[in-house]
Amino acid sequence: MDGYEKVAFPERKANRVESVPAGEVAATSGTGKNKGGFDREMIWQAVKDSFVKLNPRVMLSNPVMFVVEIMAVLTTFFTFSALSGAHGSLWFNAQIAAWLWITVLFANFAEALAEGRGKAQAASLRRARSETRAKKLVGERVEEVSSTRLNKGDVVLVEAGEVIPGDGEVIEGIASVDESAVTGESAPVIRESGGDRSAVTGGTRVLSDWIKVRVTANPGETFLDRMIQLVEGARRQKTPNEIALTILLVGLTIIFLLVVASLEPFAMYSGARASLPVLAALLVCLIPTTIGGLLSAIGIAGMDRLLRRNILAMSGRAVEAAGDVDVLLLDKTGTITLGNRMAVEFVAAPGVTPQMLADAAQLASLADETPEGRSIVVLAKEKYNLRERDLAGLGAVFVPFSAQTRMSGVDLKEREIRKGASDAIEKYLAESGEKLPPAVNTVVEEIARKGGTPLVVAENRRVLGVIYLKDVVKGGIKERFAQLRRMGIKTVMITGDNPLTAAAIAAEAGVDDFMAEATPETKLALIRRHQSAGHLVAMTGDGTNDAPALAQADVGVAMNSGTQAAKEAGNMVDLDSNPTKLIEVVETGKQLLMTRGALTTFSIANDVAKYFAIIPALFAVTYPQLNVLNIMGLATPQSAILSAVIFNALIIVALVPLALRGVTYRPLGANAILRRNMFIYGLGGLIVPFIGIKAIDLLLVLLGLH
Amino acid sequence: MKGIDLFQLFLYLVLLIALAVPLGRYMARVYQGERTWFDKLAGPVERLIYRLTGVDAGREMNWWQYALAVLVFNISGMVLLFLLQLVQGILPLNPQHFGAVKWDLSLNTAISFMTNTNWQAYSGESTMSYLTQMAGLTVQNFLSAATGMAVVIALIRGLARHTARTIGNFWVDLTRSVLFILLPISVVGALFLVSQGVIQNLSPYLNVHTLEGARQTLAMGPVASQEFIKELGTNGGGFFNANSAHPFENPTPLTNLVEMLAILVIPAGLAITFGRMVKDVRQGRVVLAAMLILFVLALGVCYTSEVTGNPQISALGVSGPTAMEGKEVRFGITNSALFATVTTAASCGAVNTMHDSLTPLGGLVPMLQIMLGEVVFGGVGSGLYGMLIFVILTVFIVGLMVGRTPEYLGKKIESREMKMATLAVLIPAATILIGAALAAATKAGTSSIANPGPHGLSEILYAFASGTGNNGSAFAGLNANTLFYNLAIGLAMFIGRFGVILPVLAIAGSMAAKKAVPAGPGTFETTGGLFAGLLSATVLIVGALTFFPALALGPIVEQLLMFAGKAF
């Protein structure tokens, strides 16, 4: 039988946001600065940063754009040296040089803008980290020291109104803590020694009572420090897939370098001459600048999208792995069910009317503030029209739940009402030699088999009947799981319930599989089993005993409300402590990869049109016949080359919003997604530049710039 | 387009598929060590070879051991062939008393036959003794083909296996390729050719009086035995300079058809073998489909251009086909265009028509097919492993769009595979471009050109593409037997061969070591029409993007000039 304890101790604070979709949570809580749009200041900052990033040492990390920068330098040089010489098309060369610089700046701008949001958030986090005085306990003595001088293992006392000086574990006391500096959530949370709610974060404030905290992080290594580094992108490393893609882009760049370099001898052979600015323009148009310029922005934006949902990814690698996840381990409570059992039925014992049972049950629950207790009161009112009564007026004495009796109830003048799990009531009855009637026993078993929790109600040691408490599966979750299945993701429900209960709920929620009577060991074994079959596993967890499984999982999302050990073990932390968000994490990962693929395809497909613009222009003097290839009908060779370069630069900035927002994600099977994206970014990538280059050409002619 | 032409092209494709499918299945059994009906005959020979050479057939190699064996074996073969040509003058079976081949030509030829290129800067009938032709060139025809097949089988094993360290035993793969596949088919094929009139003798050249009363020397030789493996192994090196346009190499329309089928049957069949060995026949079919798409496109362009011909000749009042110069009257436009497309789709390089004389656009097709990396069917083995590199590239670029890191056959494609795949595409492209640029910019390069203008550039481009792509056919206008070209193209052939084989084997090794992820609805599907289309588009776009500027200055402008009334 599932423990009655859980009924009396509602689990996490996470429960209160259950019914609110995660997106809204992020929008309403958040750290305030982190909304979707960009303010003018952020854009201005990004513009300034794009110039700072021109530093070749910074550019070197992006080989494609580095080549563009070199070409820009060479072209500029050529243009200036031509000033003294007798080269004709100075104005034309200068324009090419300018647009090559603009191409580099646009790419830098994209990256700077993506970093901008994180920087703004880091600034607000820094304010929380400001130096504080800490009361360090040395033996019995209290010593005032600066928070920056606290080391791992020190113990500090934090009292009401004070800021917790560093990350740590509560070793004594209980306090309500305002964690809004980190989570953006203004409602205070309880932190106490022992159990899964013992972790405190530096920079948060104790509101009431006092706690003794053992510091678990040295200065500079605290959660807040790490968070600042992460959101700032200071420690950003290229993810494995990003590295592989960069290799491909570098390969393509080398090929096109050779194409352009070998064009010079071919042209010489043919009696044509291509000037350096024109060759530079051709090269820059051909190398994959679109994806090269946006690649890092896409990665940063992926982490940023998670951050706006209040999930902190410890590395880009974790976000990427999230896209590959195909097994989700979901905690039943809080993710699949609402987390609280609700009374749905009163089943009276033989010879008792349902009204009598409901009356006793409601009386016993009036003082019970747990959601379960309230649901009993509400059900009695709805079904039997029993109105709430004033306990004090009745002279009632509430008997709270205790670990010894595992029952709660109420004592009135002549009535002693108790409710509890059937074995607890059985024990209570046995004191006076009574037994559970067989009919009640049957009902108890029946409810348990259906996945519910039976609560037996007794009055004056006479069993009145059973309250059917049911785990309520969240609305819409079944459809969500069906979507996941179509995406190829298997859902596994993890629960401490017995197999019967678990099976019933699993069937109702529509998960693919479940694990009943889960322990940390069996969870770990389950993850290993899936991984050895080649699957990637994601899970959430908060307890210290979840830590091994969180570390083993490919994506381990630790709840911020959880222990320090859990947060260390996972590769993401959910600041809202909402386990449902695991699904969003996977979607964000997929979106990140899709955006990368879409822009790569788009970038390569673009080259076709650029060839049709530049090749006829390049050799128009030597072989006028090649003008047949000028299918866009571009006005002059100069305008054709300029249009291609300008298009190449503008497309980067035009795609910045897409890179930051990510391509539209739909929970469909791989084939449907591919068809859709191929149509938009593959076919679009072929056609758009033809239109764009032609339009720019027309504009150039209109403005007389060619 | 005439109906009869269309019918012939169609018939060719139907026959090709009908032969390739059973052969592919048979080859899968051969390489997986399963029982075949040929065991009784070849089995004892195979065991004897292992006993004599001390090969432990049961011991597998990891990728670099395999690569080392490939290199050692091939380079030794090259050295032997090089020496044989130098000393052929003092060796028997030399009725025409040919002296030593010049060292640079000899080196070029040794590399050429070792790399399955069969680029010939010489005329067989006036340079090589019968011994060199038989013991040198023909032997390398078998061994270079078998090397290609062994390498692709190693790659297939790497893709099929998971969490494995080894990819097979090169000596076993090599031996089985020759004994079970190349040799038996060649014997049957050679006998068939003899029945059609291909010569097979060791007699001195004949001096005959022709009907017109002129005197003519008829070159003789053991042609049939070299002829069939020339096609079957996609080698292409003709016994005679005229190659398959020579009546003693390719006497009848029937031999023409059979020779064309022999060129593509193993490359097409290997796609089926691949599907079998990775336990998913659809994977093999999709590769075959992509090859067919590209082939039909190429054939369409080549045929149309040849049928359209040269408007300047039409203007002279010539009726009938106007692009007959350089073609055999026995084969006509259709079978010449088909042969040209077939021989360059595969890295064969046998020709029954002079590619130099094709219309510019018709000549672009063979060139482009070679430049695409010889993956449209391609050489025996090399075509499929080249195509699988493109599969990996396609999966990587397009696969990301389904929202997962790319995977092929359940294996993640990561930076190591991308590095190797990129190298395998980059190395040949760089070799062609650098080599051709060097030739176009230097006196040593341009002095060999027979035709001026864009056609000359086409000749240079074709030579380096053909060498690097290990095709071996020539735009014959170029005088390739110079020190510069012998060395430059020799180097191009070597780099073009091993610059791809080594990355391919490295991929085989790293893919074999990976865990396999079972496919689900979220997995990027590498079967079906969409993927076949994507794969062929990737091949086309990567190839076209790399060579479009050069081609624009060569054949494209030449075609446009021809329509404008200017020929070269």
Side-chain angles (χ1 to χ4, degrees), chain A residues 498-540:
Chain A
N498 64 55
L500 275 182
T501 313
I505 296 170
E508 191 179 343
V511 291
D512 297 303
D513 200 357
F514 67 91
M515 178 184 227
E517 287 164 354
T519 63
E521 293 75 31
T522 53
K523 253 193 203 176
L524 188 63
L526 181 71
I527 294 175
R528 290 219 170 110
R529 200 163 65 238
H530 279 300
Q531 284 176 335
S532 65
H535 294 286
L536 265 76
V537 183
M539 68 167 287
T540 60

Side-chain angles (χ1 to χ4, degrees), chain A residues 34 42 205 326 392 427 499 527 560 648:
Chain A
N34 236 349
M42 260 162 82
R205 187 179 292 274
D326 48 7
K427 216 170 111 195
I527 294 175
N560 190 46
N648 191 55

Side-chain angles (χ1 to χ4, degrees), chain A residues 222-518:
Chain A
T222 64
F223 185 64
L224 214 54
D225 289 313
R226 265 195 303 161
M227 199 163 152
I228 291 169
Q229 283 178 331
L230 281 167
V231 296
E232 264 192 331
R235 277 204 353 216
R236 209 183 93 78
Q237 288 177 326
K238 284 191 175 135
T239 59
N241 176 261
E242 210 175 333
I243 292 172
L245 184 54
T246 306
I247 289 170
L248 175 71
L249 298 182
V250 169
L252 285 174
T253 306
I254 296 174
I255 289 184
F256 287 126
L257 260 172
L258 288 168
V259 168
V260 174
S262 65
L263 201 53
E264 178 73 5
F266 294 153
M268 269 172 10
Y269 169 91
S270 310
R273 275 236 79 126
S275 71
L276 180 108
V278 171
L279 288 178
L282 175 64
L283 175 65
V284 170
C285 284
L286 293 181
I287 61 178
T289 47
T290 314
I291 179 67
L294 296 173
L295 186 58
S296 63
I298 295 170
I300 299 167
M303 288 178 78
D304 188 60
R305 275 200 297 281
L306 279 180
L307 195 62
R308 267 183 292 148
R309 288 171 166 175
N310 260 358
I311 295 166
L312 197 60
M314 296 298 173
S315 68
R317 186 186 279 259
V319 186
E320 206 172 273
D324 279 347
V325 159
D326 48 7
V327 176
L328 286 187
L329 302 190
L330 299 167
D331 270 333
K332 182 197 79 176
T333 313
T335 311
I336 295 170
T337 63
L338 285 177
N340 310 313
R341 291 145 224 249
M342 309 279 271
V344 291
E345 198 184 344
F346 296 109
V347 186
V352 181
T353 65
Q355 275 85 358
M356 279 170 69
L357 170 63
D359 175 63
Q362 193 189 42
L363 278 174
S365 308
L366 279 175
D368 186 351
E369 278 302 307
T370 65
E372 288 84 356
R374 259 173 296 162
S375 78
I376 295 172
V377 175
V378 169
L379 183 72
K381 189 162 72 185
E382 280 174 357
K383 247 187 158 164
Y384 302 104
N385 213 9
L386 297 170
R387 290 186 40 246
E388 284 185 39
R389 283 152 285 185
D390 178 17
L391 272 183
L394 294 169
V397 181
F398 181 61
V399 182
F401 180 88
S402 82
Q404 280 86 38
T405 63
R406 290 168 44 236
M407 296 184 301
S408 67
V410 66
D411 287 338
L412 294 163
K413 277 163 225 149
E414 283 178 2
R415 301 168 79 182
E416 184 186 292
I417 307 173
R418 293 289 180 275
K419 67 178 184 354
S422 66
D423 56 337
I425 296 289
E426 206 164 5
K427 216 170 111 195
Y428 162 72
L429 293 175
E431 287 167 21
S432 56
E434 307 275 337
K435 273 189 171 169
L436 270 184
V440 171
N441 239 337
T442 319
V443 172
V444 165
E445 276 163 23
E446 171 75 4
I447 291 174
R449 215 187 59 236
K450 283 196 283 192
T453 307
L455 273 192
V456 181
V457 181
E459 183 176 341
N460 297 339
R461 308 205 177 231
R462 175 184 168 217
V463 175
L464 295 181
V466 186
I467 308 170
Y468 181 178
L469 288 180
K470 196 176 164 192
D471 247 333
V472 181
V473 171
K474 284 184 178 178
I477 200 89
K478 193 165 188 171
E479 291 70 32
R480 198 82 184 261
F481 290 151
Q483 276 180 0
L484 288 173
R485 198 168 306 122
R486 278 199 296 277
M487 286 158 54
I489 296 172
K490 183 177 161 182
T491 46
V492 182
M493 182 183 86
I494 305 287
T495 173
D497 292 346
N498 64 55
L500 275 182
T501 313
I505 296 170
E508 191 179 343
V511 291
D512 297 303
D513 200 357
F514 67 91
M515 178 184 227
E517 287 164 354

Side-chain angles (χ1 to χ4, degrees), chain A residues 269 324 487 533 594 611 670 674 677, chain B residues 401 405 426 453 518 521-522 524 545:
Chain A
Y269 169 91
D324 279 347
M487 286 158 54
M594 279 162 57
Y611 264 136
L674 178 68
N677 285 338
Chain B
M401 279 198 289
T405 56
L426 181 63
F524 174 56
L545 288 181

